């Protein structure tokens, strides 16, 4: 939330994009702890970015411990008892280490776990990696993206920093024009993209979160 999240706020006061992003991170952490199923996480993230006032946020966190840290005390319900720790972190989410497309296509999107590194390769095909709703296990992630006469498209959100270090050989290896303004914070994840594109393209694009309406952060929606 903007300022102190514990500061009382009227339930019908309009929320900001920063409020939405903070709650989204809270929900992803809950999913990573095994408290939310994949479908539940996706539904709550969609509702988060559609929320208008503080009262809209309450149903999204009412059954999660630590709700008061992201919902103002005047709008939040009474604290709930902490759930038992998950037996294994991220147990409910897919955790692919690589994505490969040979004369085909592969897409990663929604809630999934990105480890310290992920390898993407396409040969006359396409790989789409949507990291906007992904759960990061470490702050800095390395994406090894390579393509031969194909494409690897990587999508990040406004809060993810990107470092593009690859090489295009008769092709393109680049970050395209942002579709939403960058909005970094002290805990923003970092995605470092390495590799090569031979007669193909590796492209990183910053887009609004799924469910965000046109005009959020002053840019067009995806």
């Amino acid at each position: 939330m903007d300022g102190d999240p514990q500061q009382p706020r009227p339930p019908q006061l309009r929320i900001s994009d920063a409020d939405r992003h903070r709650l989204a991170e809270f929900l992803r952490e809950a999913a990573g702890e095994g408290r939310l199923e994949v479908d539940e996480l996706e539904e709550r993230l969609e509702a988060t970015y559609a929320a208008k006032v503080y009262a809209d946020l309450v149903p999204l966190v009412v059954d999660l411990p630590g709700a008061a840290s992201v919902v103002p005390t005047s709008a939040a319900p009474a604290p709930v008892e902490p759930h038992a720790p998950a037996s294994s972190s991220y147990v409910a989410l897919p955790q692919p280490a690589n994505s490969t497309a040979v004369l085909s296509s592969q897409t990663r999107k929604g809630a999934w776990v990105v480890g310290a590194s992920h390898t993407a390769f396409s040969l006359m095909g396409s790989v789409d990696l949507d990291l906007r709703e992904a759960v990061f296990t470490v702050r800095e992630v390395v994406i090894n993206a390579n393509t031969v006469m194909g494409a690897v498209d990587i999508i990040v959100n406004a809060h993810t920093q990107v470092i593009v270090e690859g090489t295009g050989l008769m092709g393109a290896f680049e970050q395209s024009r942002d579709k939403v303004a960058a909005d970094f914070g002290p805990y923003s994840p970092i995605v470092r993209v390495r590799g090569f594109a031979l007669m193909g393209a590796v492209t990183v694009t910053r887009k609004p979160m799924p469910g965000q309406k046109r005009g959020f952060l002053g840019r067009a929606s995806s």
Side-chain angles (χ1 to χ4, degrees):
M1 305 291 173
D2 295 335
D4 182 0
Q6 297 294 335
Q7 180 181 356
R9 306 272 182 85
Q12 296 306 314
L13 188 66
R14 286 272 179 164
I15 59 178
S16 68
D17 285 331
D19 295 324
R20 297 182 182 91
H21 294 314
R22 179 167 182 157
L23 184 61
E25 290 302 319
F26 177 80
L27 292 173
R28 291 190 191 96
E29 289 178 5
E33 294 169 355
R35 302 183 193 278
L36 296 175
E37 298 293 334
V38 176
D39 291 345
E40 292 176 310
L41 175 60
E42 293 180 350
E43 290 174 0
R44 296 192 192 197
L45 286 173
E46 183 175 353
T48 295
Y49 286 100
K52 299 296 184 183
V53 297
Y54 287 107
D56 294 336
L57 304 180
V58 174
L60 306 179
V61 296
V62 66
D63 58 346
L64 298 173
S69 68
V70 290
V71 175
T73 54
S74 61
V80 296
E81 289 297 321
H83 296 185
S87 59
S88 177
S89 294
Y90 316 116
V91 66
L93 303 177
Q95 306 178 48
N98 57 74
S99 301
T100 304
V102 177
L103 296 173
S104 62
S105 64
Q106 184 166 64
T107 299
R108 307 280 187 197
K109 64 179 182 179
W112 60 289
V113 175
V114 182
S117 66
H118 187 92
T119 299
F121 175 74
S122 70
L123 172 61
M124 300 177 68
S126 64
V127 172
D128 295 322
L129 300 180
D130 190 338
L131 305 179
R132 292 175 293 177
E133 296 179 290
V135 175
F136 292 82
T137 59
V138 296
R139 187 184 177 200
E140 182 168 333
V141 169
V142 175
I143 303 292
N144 296 299
N146 302 291
T147 182
V148 177
M149 293 186 289
V152 176
D153 292 316
I154 302 169
I155 303 174
V156 300
N157 61 27
H159 302 282
T160 300
Q161 300 184 54
V162 177
I163 301 172
V164 178
E165 300 177 331
T167 302
L169 305 173
M170 294 185 289
F173 203 112
E174 61 188 7
Q175 181 175 355
S176 64
R177 183 177 179 181
D178 290 350
K179 306 299 183 183
V180 64
D183 183 17
F184 304 142
Y187 303 107
S188 291
I190 300 170
V191 173
R192 191 179 297 271
V193 185
R194 298 171 173 169
F196 68 88
L198 175 60
M199 293 189 290
V202 173
T203 306
V204 182
T205 307
R206 189 183 311 284
K207 293 185 178 181
M209 291 294 294
Q212 279 190 341
K213 295 182 179 180
R214 185 175 297 276
F216 277 19
L217 297 184
R219 297 290 183 87
S221 177
S222 59

